[in-house]
Amino acid sequence: MAAGRPLRGSFVATPRSPLCSALNLKTMNQEDRRKFYERLYFHELEVRDKVENRLKLPFSIFAIVFTLAVFLFNEVLIKKSVTVDAFFWTVYLGALLALVLAVGFFIVSWYGYTYKMLPTASDVEAYYGQILADYQKVSPHKARAWAKEAFDDYLMETFKIYATHNTSNNDRKAFYLHRCVTALIISFMLICVAFYPYYNSLTAI
């Protein structure tokens, strides 16, 4: 910080991401740290796109499991074409429970997330103009140096805070997406097992 430069506000401390903890940021100068946080910010936006593309995967599995569940429901409860035992109902209801959990996990992984995006170029330029004008009132000959330092601080903190927020979103979405797919796989396996007593009863007719 330049000697005698007035402070402009304060910054809020935010948790560091796992990637940050793997680096010794104390040995990096401010310019290197800014570039690191900038890369991390854009990296998390790319991760967001990848996670959202993966959110399309559960739809196909869900469609298969739901179709099989409806088929068994129609054959056993509506048409009553076969008589099934307690084992069938245990497995079938377990499959439905896993399917409901999968839907819940999917909703949590999809809905309610907001990502922090950089201000527009016009807003950033207006901010720089404002801090330059403020410093010119204090010391015209040092204003540009102070404004540049304050502007660099602003960019670094913006990238750091926004990257941290977006990392938290991506980690949470990926976590619940994994649970969703796991529940769908369990539901699919159980619904397949439920077909065994169904076909046994069918062949016994």
Side-chain angles (χ1 to χ4, degrees):
M1 180 182 297
R5 180 170 69 84
L7 294 175
R8 289 182 54 85
S10 60
F11 296 108
V12 179
T14 55
R16 298 165 74 181
S17 68
L19 180 58
C20 292
S21 62
L23 298 174
N24 188 2
L25 296 180
K26 293 181 180 180
T27 63
M28 301 170 64
N29 60 39
Q30 182 166 332
E31 180 65 17
D32 291 338
R33 290 165 62 201
R34 184 192 64 77
K35 291 180 180 179
F36 169 73
Y37 290 133
E38 180 180 356
R39 290 194 300 269
L40 184 61
Y41 168 79
F42 287 108
H43 169 73
E44 291 303 328
L45 292 182
E46 293 177 1
V47 172
R48 177 199 62 177
D49 295 336
K50 292 178 181 179
V51 172
E52 290 183 352
N53 286 333
R54 291 172 186 168
L55 285 172
K56 301 174 184 177
L57 173 64
F59 283 109
S60 56
I61 306 177
F62 174 80
I64 294 173
V65 175
F66 183 76
T67 301
L68 294 175
V70 170
F71 173 80
L72 287 178
F73 180 85
N74 184 61
E75 289 294 319
V76 175
L77 288 180
I78 304 301
K79 294 183 179 180
K80 296 182 179 180
S81 56
V82 294
T83 302
V84 293
D85 55 12
F87 175 76
F88 168 84
W89 287 114
T90 301
V91 175
Y92 182 75
L93 293 177
L96 292 183
L97 177 60
L99 186 61
V100 171
L101 289 175
V103 172
F105 290 141
F106 179 79
I107 293 174
V108 175
S109 68
W110 179 273
Y111 181 75
Y113 296 89
T114 57
Y115 283 81
K116 289 187 178 293
M117 309 297 291
L118 291 177
T120 64
S122 297
D123 290 339
V124 173
E125 184 64 24
Y127 177 78
Y128 175 78
Q130 181 61 49
I131 60 177
L132 177 60
D134 290 344
Y135 286 136
Q136 282 177 338
K137 296 176 183 178
V138 179
S139 177
H141 65 283
K142 294 182 179 180
R144 288 193 177 277
W146 287 349
K148 180 182 182 304
E149 188 172 347
F151 187 68
D152 288 343
D153 290 343
Y154 161 75
L155 289 179
M156 187 181 72
E157 291 298 321
T158 298
F159 281 128
K160 183 178 71 172
I161 294 172
Y162 286 15
T164 300
H165 176 84
N166 295 344
T167 298
S168 177
N169 276 350
N170 289 334
D171 288 348
R172 180 177 169 84
K173 291 177 76 169
F175 174 76
Y176 282 104
L177 177 60
H178 174 73
R179 286 194 164 190
C180 171
V181 174
T182 300
L184 280 175
I185 292 174
I186 293 174
S187 180
F188 176 75
M189 294 174 64
L190 290 176
I191 205 71
C192 289
V193 172
F195 266 86
Y196 178 74
Y198 165 73
Y199 276 114
N200 275 350
S201 300
L202 192 63
T203 55
I205 296 178

